[in-house]
Amino acid sequence: MKNYINVTERNFAQALLDFIEESPSAFHAVECIKQFLVPQGFRELSMNEKWSLTSGGKFFVTRNNSALIAFIVGQGEPEQHGFRLLAAHTDSPSFRVKTLPEISVEGHYLKLNVETYGGPILNTWLDRPLSLAGRIILRGESPFSPQIKLFHSDRPLLVIPNLAIHMNRKVNEGLELNKQKDMLPLLAQITEGLEKGGVLINLLAETLNCLPEDILDFDLFLCESEKGCFVGLQQEFISSSRLDDLAMIHAGMYAITQAKPSLATQVLVCFDHEECGSTSRQGAASPLLYHVLERIMLAQKKDRENYFQALEHSFLISADMAHALHPNSSEKHDPTNRPILNGGPVIKLSANQNYTTDAESSAIVTALCQLAKVPVQTFVNRSDERGGSTIGPISSTHLDIRSVDIGNPILGMHSLRELGGVKDHLAIANLISAFFETD
C-alpha cells in the first residue's frame, strides 16, 4: 500500500498532539506558546511599561495568562504596509469546577460540583477517565499581587458515570442530560482515611507544596486524561481533544516563528473565551488587540492618523475549525459545499455574516493556497440550518480591516474527542506561512 501520509505531514501532526497534551487548559496553552516563542528570539513585553520597538524585532504580550499576542515588527513603514493577523483561540468546551465544589452522596461518594463551559457535547464526557487542569491562586506579598501556579493532575482523578441501561431503558432512543444533575464527576469513595472536608484543596496544597489556607481561589477545568492518537487504516486521521482550536494555535505558532521577513508586521493573536462569547478582557470582544496594534504604532513614533492608515493596509485571518462531511449524516450538509477530511483548509462563508468572508477575502485566500500549493475547500451551512460563529465577526466590530474565516475540517466538533485529518494540519500551516510572508 502506497503511503498516503508522508513523513513530514505525520511528524507535524505528532507535534500538534504533543502540544495538545501539554495544553490541557488555556493557561497551559499560553505557557506552551511562550516556551516555544522564546527560543525563537521572541521577547515578552509588559503592558504597564513603555515599549521601544525596532524593525524586525520579535515580541509578545499576555493577558490573564490565557491570551497571548505575538508579533514581528515589519521592515516597511507600518502606515503603508499594515498588519498581517492570524487569530485563533486557546479555550475549548469543558466543565469548570465551582467554588465549594465537594458534594457528599449519602456518606459514600464524593463528587464535584461543576459548571458547563461553552457548548460541549455532553454525552461524550461520560464514562471516560478525566483529569483536572488550570491555575491556582495563592496568597502573595500584597492582596493585589497574588501568586499564580499552573496545575495539571498527573493521573486520572474523575469520571462522570452513565446510568445503566437497565435503569434507563430508553437511553438509546435519545436522552437529555441535565447539566446540574447528570454531569457531576465522581472524585472519591468516602472512607475513614479521607478527610471530611477540603479534599480538593488539600490535594492541590499537597501537589503545590503549600499550606491549604494559602490557596485563595482557582480556575480548574475538567480535561481528558487519554492522549491523542492517529487512527485509520492509513493512520490518516487525528483523534484528540481540543483540536478546536489548539490546532489553529499550533499552526499559527509554527508559521510565525518560521516566517521570512516581511514589509508588514506579522501578528499571531491567541484569544481566550471564544467558546462562551468572547466578552472578557482577554476575549475577542475586548479592546486588547486594538490597543496592542496601536501601541505597536506608537512605539515606532507613529501617530493615530498613521494607525488608521495601517488598518487600511491590513488583513485578518480568523482561524477556527470547520465542519467536515459526516459519513453517517451527509444530509446535514449543503448540497454543493461539502469539505472532507484531508481535503485541505476550508474557507467558511455565511450570507448573514456569521463569518467575515466575502468574495474579495475568499479570493485572496484562494490565491494564497495556490501560491503555497495547498488544496482549498469551502463550507456553507445548509440554508435551513443555523451554524455557529467565530472570533472573526467579533474582531471586525473593533477593527475596521479586511477579514476572512478559515479552518481545517473536523468531525465531532465540541466532542471530548474530535477527529481531524493528518494532511490538513501541515497544509494550513503552509497557507499561514504564505500569508505572513507574501507582500
Side-chain angles (χ1 to χ4, degrees):
M1 181 184 296
K2 182 180 179 180
N3 288 335
Y4 177 57
I5 306 298
N6 66 45
V7 174
T8 304
E9 292 167 335
R10 181 180 175 85
N11 288 345
F12 192 59
Q14 182 60 57
L16 169 62
L17 290 177
D18 295 341
F19 173 68
I20 292 175
E21 175 67 17
E22 296 298 319
S23 304
S25 74
F27 308 108
H28 289 82
V30 165
E31 183 61 29
C32 285
I33 298 168
K34 290 168 62 175
Q35 293 178 5
F36 189 84
L37 292 177
V38 171
Q40 303 293 329
F42 285 77
R43 180 167 64 88
E44 185 168 7
L45 297 173
S46 174
M47 295 290 281
N48 60 15
E49 295 178 356
K50 188 173 182 179
W51 296 358
S52 177
L53 308 180
T54 56
S55 174
K58 302 178 179 181
F59 306 94
F60 67 90
V61 296
T62 63
R63 173 75 80 203
N64 189 53
N65 307 112
S66 62
L68 180 146
I69 299 177
F71 59 93
I72 302 175
V73 181
Q75 296 186 336
E77 294 296 332
E79 66 270 26
Q80 297 177 12
H81 300 282
F83 304 95
R84 296 285 172 80
L85 303 109
L86 186 285
H89 61 91
T90 59
D91 61 320
S92 300
S94 180
F95 297 85
R96 184 182 185 274
V97 179
K98 292 183 179 180
T99 304
L100 304 176
E102 295 165 18
I103 299 176
S104 173
V105 182
E106 299 185 10
H108 299 296
Y109 302 129
L110 189 68
K111 61 183 181 180
L112 293 184
N113 194 9
V114 297
E115 180 180 8
T116 305
Y117 176 82
I121 301 178
L122 298 180
N123 63 16
T124 63
W125 288 77
L126 301 178
D127 302 323
R128 291 176 179 264
L130 301 173
S131 298
L132 283 175
R135 66 175 179 178
I136 314 300
I137 311 300
L138 302 175
R139 193 184 312 279
E141 295 182 359
S142 162
F144 293 99
S145 301
Q147 298 181 59
I148 300 174
K149 300 287 186 181
L150 294 185
F151 173 83
H152 182 203
S153 57
D154 58 1
R155 66 186 191 277
L157 289 176
L158 306 149
V159 66
I160 305 174
N162 230 317
L163 184 64
I165 192 171
H166 312 83
M167 299 177 181
N168 184 11
R169 292 291 183 180
K170 295 186 178 181
V171 63
N172 291 325
E173 298 175 21
L175 173 66
E176 182 177 353
L177 295 168
N178 183 284
K179 295 175 183 178
Q180 183 61 63
K181 174 182 177 296
D182 300 315
M183 302 308 297
L184 303 187
L186 177 65
L187 174 64
Q189 181 132 28
I190 297 176
T191 61
E192 291 184 4
L194 192 71
E195 303 90 341
K196 293 185 178 180
V199 173
L200 179 60
I201 292 295
N202 287 328
L203 169 66
L204 299 176
E206 180 182 345
T207 304
L208 298 177
N209 194 26
C210 69
L211 297 174
E213 53 266 32
D214 285 338
I215 297 177
L216 302 179
D217 210 338
F218 50 75
D219 290 308
L220 288 176
F221 295 84
L222 272 59
C223 59
E224 187 184 27
S225 63
E226 296 178 346
K227 296 181 179 181
C229 64
F230 299 121
V231 298
L233 182 63
Q234 303 168 92
Q235 298 288 276
E236 65 265 48
F237 305 126
I238 306 172
S239 173
S240 177
S241 295
R242 303 185 297 281
L243 288 176
D244 175 14
D245 192 30
L246 291 185
M248 298 299 94
I249 293 283
H250 181 260
M253 181 178 74
Y254 169 83
I256 198 168
T257 56
Q258 302 298 314
K260 297 176 182 177
S262 172
L263 294 173
T265 294
Q266 303 151 325
V267 187
L268 170 65
V269 187
C270 307
F271 285 122
D272 190 11
H273 293 147
E274 188 273 346
E275 299 293 355
C276 59
S278 296
T279 54
S280 67
R281 63 194 293 261
Q282 53 272 5
S286 76
L288 174 62
L289 178 57
Y290 185 94
H291 288 168
V292 169
L293 296 183
E294 185 170 11
R295 292 193 66 174
I296 292 173
M297 297 294 294
L298 294 173
Q300 297 178 81
K301 299 184 174 11
K302 303 296 181 178
D303 59 23
R304 194 164 178 78
E305 178 71 16
N306 296 140
Y307 177 44
F308 289 121
Q309 288 178 287
L311 295 183
E312 287 298 313
H313 293 285
S314 300
F315 195 95
L316 168 70
I317 289 181
S318 168
D320 209 343
M321 305 307 272
H323 299 293
L325 178 67
H326 197 287
N328 297 332
S329 300
S330 59
E331 75 282 358
K332 289 290 186 179
H333 296 264
D334 180 74
T336 58
N337 297 277
R338 303 164 76 83
I340 61 171
L341 299 179
N342 289 311
V346 178
I347 300 172
K348 301 189 286 186
L349 304 103
S350 167
N352 293 308
Q353 296 302 296
N354 287 333
Y355 307 124
T356 59
T357 309
D358 58 25
E360 181 186 11
S361 61
S362 175
I364 290 171
V365 171
T366 300
L368 287 172
C369 286
Q370 293 171 351
L371 185 66
K373 295 181 173 53
V374 168
V376 64
Q377 308 180 88
T378 54
F379 172 83
V380 185
N381 279 299
R382 279 179 58 105
S383 298
D384 55 358
E385 289 280 356
R386 180 184 176 185
S389 189
T390 68
I391 57 179
I394 296 173
S395 296
S396 291
T397 64
H398 295 271
L399 290 170
D400 179 22
I401 63 177
R402 293 179 296 172
S403 181
V404 68
D405 272 278
I406 69 169
N408 269 346
I410 58 172
L411 294 172
M413 187 181 294
H414 288 199
S415 171
L416 179 59
R417 197 85 174 190
E418 298 164 328
L419 192 72
V422 171
K423 298 180 77 67
D424 293 329
H425 190 53
L426 182 60
I428 204 161
N430 289 338
L431 166 58
I432 299 169
S433 293
F435 168 69
F436 279 144
E437 295 175 0
T438 305
D439 290 319

